[in-house]
């Protein structure tokens, strides 16, 4: 799919400012949309909106469909009459500059049940009708998700592969018994999802009405302890006990000398093929109902996957295994029509990956931080870009632009300054100017780079033990001066929204 010449900002909603310990889908999100519009931007790029998993990562969720209920705005719940203001005024003294996920989870685990009880005891027929419609329309994923969460809670959060055999292997009598025993918990889980999606779609509608399109993110993998694997065990490379034979990762690279052992279960593509890749079609169709454009994480995994023996501690001894990506994307194309995707095609690129990307007209990514090794033919240098790509100063996995420049080797420093004709004093703006002035149809800048923040504001260090995903904007950090400066440079290079 071809995209118009435009630009946008990468900022996950958890990084928005606010009083409740984590960015959410309330007032500050709407203010950010206003800022994007005022600054002449077209896109708001976010990370996955699913529930976070190990290490608080949005790329390791217990569901490919369920929304992150930590993003539910408490203020919006008060507006809807589901909480009294005292519920949110008696909040903990959360830190303002980062997310303490454990603390936020503990608090929202108190206010969301309170909202559910208020809902059950009220006679708000309009809201009840909305909830019933939501539950009915999403039953195909919501019923299993709510059951999984309810059982998991009753089992003291044990992973599904440690449940009793009858539940683990989904014997219908055991499932029906669990549905009856956990009926209230199941309804509550459905209601929390209703609240999330209700708030999300209202925010997305506001963004679209103000000329802002949302770029979402679909991780290629799901977590082993997820409802997706529990309900589709035959579609993953598991043994008879539900344990993975092989797990996901990438070989040694720029980020790690031992590679990255992600640990996600690997798809059994032969089994996926049997129903025409129906799970993938459902997943991407659902994603495109939530956002306008989808970034496909780890796109090279649709051409080949680095399969690591599950018993290994690192990813060094993995091997490349071919994946029928052409069949997958043909099925998606036939089912969904034109594919508004962006390929995260970073890493061990091969002609097969490039052919897969290009044959479906999917733009790839160019990361400016990777460009300054000294080779003028480097594909990441702006003069080598093609129109059909998405240029970034960096992503959530990189250092910030200012942080990268501070830590870069002297050789990179010299080449970077010479290439950008920069004195290095405001390198973040020089790098922003470079991607905005390039021929790339789309240019995206992390909010940290707009603000010129150092690596203290980095979102994620791949392969590390964390802490990651915690950075937040401070209240008032986005000034009118920054908005005007960004709009001016966006207009100069013909990327302003219409």
């Amino acid at each position: 799919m071809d995209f118009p010449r435009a630009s946008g900002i990468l900022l996950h909603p958890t990084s928005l400012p606010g009083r409740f310990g984590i960015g959410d889908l309330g007032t500050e999100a709407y203010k950010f949309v206003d800022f994007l519009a005022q600054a002449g931007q077209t896109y708001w790029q976010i990370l996955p909106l699913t529930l976070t998993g190990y290490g608080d990562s949005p790329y390791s969720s217990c569901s490919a469909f369920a929304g992150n209920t930590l993003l539910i705005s408490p203020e919006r719940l008060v507006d809807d009459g589901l909480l009294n203001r005292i519920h949110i005024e008696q909040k903990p003294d959360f830190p303002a500059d980062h997310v303490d996920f454990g603390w936020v989870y503990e608090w929202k685990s108190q206010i969301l049940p309170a909202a559910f009880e208020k809902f059950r005891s009220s006679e708000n027929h309009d809201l009840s009708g909305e909830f019933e419609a939501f539950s009915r329309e999403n039953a195909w994923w919501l019923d299993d998700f709510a059951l999984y969460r309810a059982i998991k809670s009753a089992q003291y959060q044990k992973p599904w592969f440690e449940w009793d055999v009858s539940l683990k292997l989904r014997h219908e009598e055991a499932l029906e018994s669990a549905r009856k025993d956990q009926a209230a918990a199941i309804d509550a889980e459905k209601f929390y999802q209703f609240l999330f999606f209700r708030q999300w779609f209202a925010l997305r509608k506001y963004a679209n009405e103000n000329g802002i399109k949302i770029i979402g993110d679909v991780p290629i993998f799901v977590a082993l302890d997820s409802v997706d694997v529990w309900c589709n065990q035959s579609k993953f490379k598991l043994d008879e006990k539900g344990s993975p034979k092989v797990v996901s990762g990438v070989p040694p690279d720029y980020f790690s000398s031992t590679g990255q052992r992600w640990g996600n279960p690997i798809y059994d593509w032969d089994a996926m093929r049997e129903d025409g890749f129906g799970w993938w079609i459902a997943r991407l169709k659902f994603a495109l109902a939530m956002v306008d454009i989808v970034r496909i994480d780890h796109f090279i995994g649709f051409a080949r996957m680095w399969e690591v023996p599950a018993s290994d501690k690192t990813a060094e001894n993995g091997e490349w295994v071919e994946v029928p990506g052409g069949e997958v994307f043909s099925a998606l194309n036939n089912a969904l029509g034109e594919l508004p995707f962006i390929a995260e095609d970073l890493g061990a690129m091969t002609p097969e990956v490039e052919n897969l990307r290009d044959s479906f007209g999917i733009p790839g990514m160019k990361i400016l931080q990777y460009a300054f090794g000294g080779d003028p033919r480097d594909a990441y240098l702006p003069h080598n870009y093609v129109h059909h790509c998405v240029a970034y100063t960096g992503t959530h996995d990189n250092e910030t632009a200012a942080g990268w420049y501070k830590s870069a080797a002297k050789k990179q420093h010299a080449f970077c300054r010479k290439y950008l004709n920069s004195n290095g004093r405001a390198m973040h703006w020089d790098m922003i100017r470079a991607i905005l002035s390039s021929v790339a149809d789309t240019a995206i800048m992390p909010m940290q780079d707009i603000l010129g923040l150092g690596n203290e504001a980095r979102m994620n260090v791949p392969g590390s033990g964390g802490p990651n995903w915690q950075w937040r904007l401070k209240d008032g950090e986005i000034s009118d001066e920054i908005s005007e400066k960004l709009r001016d440079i966006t207009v100069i290079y013909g990327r302003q929204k219409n």
Side-chain angles (χ1 to χ4, degrees):
M1 179 176 178
D2 292 327
F3 298 135
R5 185 171 177 81
S7 60
I9 293 178
L10 169 60
L11 180 81
H12 197 46
T14 60
S15 295
L16 290 163
R19 299 186 296 134
F20 304 108
I22 189 171
D24 60 37
L25 306 179
T27 301
E28 294 297 334
Y30 288 79
K31 287 182 180 178
F32 187 70
V33 169
D34 293 341
F35 159 70
L36 290 170
Q38 291 162 6
Q41 302 308 298
T42 300
Y43 300 118
W44 179 4
Q45 182 170 337
I46 60 176
L47 306 182
L49 288 169
T50 46
L51 290 151
T52 55
Y54 176 76
D56 305 313
S57 172
Y59 291 89
S60 184
S61 180
C62 67
S63 171
F65 300 93
N68 185 356
T69 51
L70 296 184
L71 290 171
I72 294 171
S73 165
E75 289 180 322
R76 289 289 192 260
L77 297 183
V78 172
D79 293 343
D80 289 334
L82 294 171
L83 289 178
N84 297 322
R85 185 149 298 274
I86 193 171
H87 282 115
I88 65 173
E89 295 301 335
Q90 294 179 341
K91 66 176 182 60
D93 187 18
F94 292 116
D97 62 347
H98 70 278
V99 181
D100 185 323
F101 282 95
W103 205 357
V104 171
Y105 180 83
E106 182 179 346
W107 184 61
K108 289 204 171 177
S109 294
Q110 298 171 30
I111 66 167
L112 291 181
F116 178 58
E117 289 306 316
K118 187 78 176 288
F119 168 74
R120 289 209 301 179
S121 63
S122 71
E123 295 184 0
N124 188 330
H125 299 298
D126 289 341
L127 198 63
S128 294
E130 285 185 52
F131 175 50
E132 290 173 7
F134 170 82
S135 299
R136 184 172 58 252
E137 292 165 4
N138 291 277
W140 57 275
W141 67 268
L142 184 62
D143 288 355
D144 280 327
F145 170 76
L147 177 62
Y148 164 85
R149 293 278 284 189
I151 295 174
K152 192 172 174 64
S153 179
Q155 297 271 344
Y156 304 101
Q157 301 303 322
K158 285 195 300 186
W160 66 264
F161 45 85
E162 294 181 8
W163 296 348
D164 293 341
V165 171
S166 58
L167 286 173
K168 172 180 171 179
L169 300 182
R170 295 179 56 80
H171 295 165
E172 187 51 43
E173 288 185 5
L175 295 181
E176 187 56 34
S177 178
R179 291 185 188 104
K180 292 178 181 177
D181 293 342
Q182 302 298 326
I186 288 169
D187 283 347
E189 291 292 345
K190 290 182 179 181
F191 185 69
Y192 305 152
Q193 287 300 305
F194 164 68
L195 295 177
F196 168 83
F197 282 99
R198 188 170 187 262
Q199 291 189 5
W200 171 253
F201 282 119
L203 176 60
R204 185 195 170 189
K205 181 174 183 287
Y206 182 80
N208 288 170
E209 287 173 347
N210 283 273
I212 305 300
K213 294 182 178 181
I214 308 293
I215 301 176
D217 197 317
V218 169
I220 190 171
F221 296 114
V222 294
L224 174 62
D225 186 17
S226 67
V227 63
D228 308 284
V229 181
W230 179 52
C231 292
N232 298 280
Q233 294 174 47
S234 64
K235 289 181 166 60
F236 294 84
K237 294 182 178 180
L238 310 178
D239 63 23
E240 66 280 357
K241 296 180 179 180
S243 298
K245 301 174 185 176
V246 289
V247 296
S248 64
V250 291
D253 60 8
Y254 171 86
F255 292 115
S256 173
S257 61
T258 58
Q260 298 176 47
R261 184 191 182 279
W262 295 334
N264 307 85
I266 301 290
Y267 302 106
D268 185 329
W269 293 105
D270 290 335
M272 289 274 184
R273 184 185 286 115
E274 290 178 4
D275 69 352
F277 306 100
W279 183 83
W280 277 104
I281 292 171
R283 187 181 187 190
L284 271 300
K285 182 178 181 180
F286 189 78
L288 288 173
M290 292 186 66
V291 299
D292 301 289
I293 298 165
V294 168
R295 172 189 178 271
I296 304 292
D297 182 60
H298 195 57
F299 183 81
I300 65 174
F302 285 101
R304 57 179 187 166
M305 282 190 176
W306 188 251
E307 296 191 357
V308 180
S311 58
D312 282 14
K313 301 296 185 183
T314 72
E316 295 169 276
N317 298 320
E319 63 176 353
W320 289 114
V321 176
E322 290 187 5
V323 172
E327 295 180 50
V328 176
F329 281 92
S330 290
L332 290 169
N333 198 192
N334 290 336
L336 306 178
E338 193 171 39
L339 303 177
F341 294 163
I342 295 169
E344 191 267 288
D345 54 350
L346 309 173
M349 286 293 288
T350 65
E352 290 77 16
V353 179
E354 292 178 353
N355 290 338
L356 176 64
R357 178 196 66 199
D358 296 344
S359 63
F360 289 94
I362 302 173
M365 294 171 55
K366 303 295 183 185
I367 309 298
L368 186 58
Q369 287 185 28
Y370 299 167
F372 301 111
D375 183 354
R377 297 165 297 181
D378 192 304
Y380 292 110
L381 285 169
H383 71 268
N384 292 321
Y385 290 174
V386 296
H387 283 281
H388 196 54
C389 74
V390 183
Y392 292 79
T393 50
T395 73
H396 62 278
D397 281 334
N398 297 112
E399 297 177 85
T400 67
W404 169 84
Y405 183 68
K406 183 177 180 179
S407 65
K410 289 183 178 180
K411 182 180 178 181
Q412 289 177 304
H413 266 193
F415 185 65
C416 180
R417 287 197 303 270
K418 183 179 292 186
Y419 184 87
L420 298 178
N421 191 27
S422 170
N423 60 16
R425 294 173 186 166
M427 184 55 71
H428 56 293
W429 279 112
D430 295 329
M431 293 177 75
I432 289 169
R433 181 180 293 273
I435 64 167
L436 290 177
S437 65
S438 75
V439 299
D441 289 333
T442 308
I444 302 291
M445 304 145 288
M447 192 66 224
Q448 295 95 316
D449 290 354
I450 299 292
L451 298 173
L453 301 178
N455 281 339
E456 73 281 356
R458 184 170 181 172
M459 194 66 168
N460 181 48
V461 180
S464 74
N468 292 311
W469 317 108
Q470 295 186 354
W471 174 75
R472 294 181 71 196
L473 280 164
K474 298 183 181 69
D475 188 37
E477 200 164 10
I478 302 176
S479 66
D480 290 340
E481 180 183 359
I482 288 173
S483 177
E484 291 170 8
K485 184 170 184 177
L486 180 57
R487 182 176 182 85
D488 285 346
I489 195 172
T490 301
V491 170
I492 286 171
Y493 294 116
R495 294 185 184 274
Q496 76 274 22
K497 70 180 183 66
N498 296 326

